[in-house]
Amino acid sequence: MRLGSREDSRRNAKHLRDEMTPPEIALWLALRKNDAGLRFRKQHPAGPYVLDFYCAPAALAIEADGEAHARGDRPERDATRDAWLKAQGVRVLRYAATEVLNHTDGVVRQILAVAIDRRVKLQAARRPPPPSPSAPPPPGGGG
């Protein structure tokens, strides 16, 4: 699934790729070499937002949230962002940064399981329906 992006989002994404946090780096190193053959993008622009990670075949966004996401207006802003992504058909998985650092393998296993399941379901939904059986010719040959 292609998500449109704005110029400022693309510029911000490029900057964020150079400034990844330790949890984002740990997750990126694990996701980019996965055995499922899924391709993840890091710091991917999506509309007015930048996603920590995005798997297009699964329409799946992954966020590694630091403690700042629990303060001030961040929970509300995250909810608005998640609602926008959901309207685009994207599922969001959020993990606390400490969980990513302390349980990287388990987090990655869960992400891959969700991504594989979503990819299969999305591929099935995109397949055209089987052709309907041909109607028998009308009596008398129809011609």
Side-chain angles (χ1 to χ4, degrees):
M1 165 177 285
R2 194 156 213 20
L3 296 172
S5 62
R6 300 185 330 201
E7 181 60 32
D8 57 334
S9 294
R10 287 191 296 274
R11 202 170 28 255
N12 190 27
K14 185 174 174 145
H15 169 73
L16 290 171
R17 279 184 214 114
D18 295 332
E19 303 290 329
M20 291 176 69
T21 65
E24 290 170 340
I25 293 169
L27 206 47
W28 174 242
L29 292 173
L31 289 175
R32 74 179 185 165
K33 61 177 180 161
N34 70 81
D35 293 332
L38 290 163
R39 182 170 175 239
F40 289 84
R41 298 179 187 139
K42 62 180 177 175
Q43 304 303 334
H44 180 70
Y49 306 106
V50 177
L51 310 176
D52 287 347
F53 302 97
Y54 181 63
C55 180
L60 181 65
I62 298 97
E63 296 294 317
D65 293 341
E67 62 182 49
H69 283 264
R71 290 192 235 141
D73 67 342
R74 287 304 293 263
E76 184 180 314
R77 287 172 41 202
D78 286 346
T80 300
R81 168 191 170 119
D82 290 355
W84 184 87
L85 288 164
K86 183 177 180 180
Q88 310 309 307
V90 176
R91 178 165 175 197
V92 179
L93 298 179
R94 289 188 172 277
Y95 296 93
T98 54
E99 184 178 1
V100 172
L101 284 175
N102 296 330
H103 306 287
T104 306
D105 290 342
V107 168
V108 170
R109 276 195 303 273
Q110 184 179 32
I111 291 169
L112 292 177
V114 171
I116 291 166
D117 182 59
R118 282 188 57 84
R119 178 179 62 180
V120 167
K121 287 178 181 172
L122 290 171
Q123 286 173 341
R126 289 184 196 125
R127 281 191 207 116
S132 58
S134 302

